[in-house]
Amino acid sequence: MSVDSRVVVVRVKDGPCPEGAFCVSIGRVVPRRGVEVPDGDYLVVMSPAVADAVDVAALAGRFRCVICVGPSAAARVGKCVVPREYTSYGIAELLKSLAPGRVVVLRSSSGNEVLRSLVPNVVEVAVYDLVIDEERVREVAGILSRAEAVVLTSAKVAEAVAKYVDLSGKTVVAIGRVTSQKLAQLGVLHLVADEATIKSAVEAALRAIG
């Protein structure tokens, strides 16, 4: 697809790109080695990248239940429960409906504090780092400047893009509530995808620009 696509998706690392969009990556995932995961009742996997850093299947037997934040994480992990809303808020709602227990969350080192603020007895373990390539962001700034709509897939991505690209006058779509909160802090007008997936965010962008 042409780099002059009307809808550009910005994310940290490469992955499948929905039809109707052009996807760019601006960083990389760096797994942390030798991470120790404590025992608990519920094991929460916050992204597909977790599976690159730890053997979730080997850990699963130590927990009552494994929860994956969304379909992409579930596809990597295998057997797990997925909340109705594919965000930290959705996981919090799911955990509140289950029996109380210790929650061990596997995520990136740049994760938010939503789960800790909404659910008791949460232990978060950073199993990988998200590294933004500032030079890469500058390289894709031209592509973003020509786009009618920009989809931002995390708060970290939103912050990096806003630093180099003037998003005013563009249709900006946040993948979920945490990304939306970051954009609000940055003063960027935006929409929020109906579902916290890249596909849903692209569909929202296409509807908005007509």
Side-chain angles (χ1 to χ4, degrees), residues 98-112:
L98 301 173
R102 191 184 200 204
V103 181
V104 177
V105 181
L106 306 182
R107 66 178 324 142
S108 80
S109 58
S110 58
N112 58 73

Side-chain angles (χ1 to χ4, degrees), residues 75-194:
R76 289 296 310 277
V77 170
K79 186 179 180 181
C80 59
V81 178
V82 178
R84 290 177 181 171
E85 179 184 336
Y86 308 146
T87 66
S88 297
Y89 293 97
I91 288 176
E93 288 302 311
L94 174 59
L95 286 168
K96 288 175 183 178
S97 72
L98 301 173
R102 191 184 200 204
V103 181
V104 177
V105 181
L106 306 182
R107 66 178 324 142
S108 80
S109 58
S110 58
N112 58 73
E113 298 182 358
V114 172
L115 277 175
R116 289 199 302 274
S117 68
L118 297 177
V119 180
N121 205 9
V122 170
V123 177
E124 297 197 337
V125 181
V127 297
Y128 65 91
D129 299 309
L130 293 176
V131 179
I132 298 295
D133 183 340
E134 300 283 338
E135 182 59 34
R136 176 61 177 159
V137 180
R138 288 191 286 269
E139 287 175 2
V140 304
I143 298 172
L144 297 174
S145 68
R146 296 190 294 274
E148 291 181 48
V150 177
V151 172
L152 301 171
T153 56
S154 73
K156 194 174 183 74
V157 164
E159 190 168 35
V161 169
K163 182 178 178 181
Y164 292 101
V165 181
D166 181 6
L167 294 171
S168 61
K170 297 187 183 300
T171 295
V172 178
V173 182
I175 196 170
R177 285 198 258 176
V178 173
T179 306
S180 174
Q181 290 166 2
K182 174 56 69 175
L183 286 170
Q185 291 173 7
L186 295 168
V188 177
L189 295 176
H190 62 280
L191 308 172
V192 183
D194 295 335

Side-chain angles (χ1 to χ4, degrees), residues 31-39 43-45 47-63 66 68 73 76-79 104 106-107 125 127-128:
R32 292 185 169 190
R33 300 304 177 190
V35 174
E36 293 187 7
V37 179
D39 290 334
L43 182 67
V44 177
V45 177
S47 80
V50 167
D52 296 326
V54 298
D55 186 343
V56 179
L59 296 171
R62 293 160 48 190
F63 294 83
V66 178
C68 295
R76 289 296 310 277
V77 170
K79 186 179 180 181
V104 177
L106 306 182
R107 66 178 324 142
V125 181
V127 297
Y128 65 91

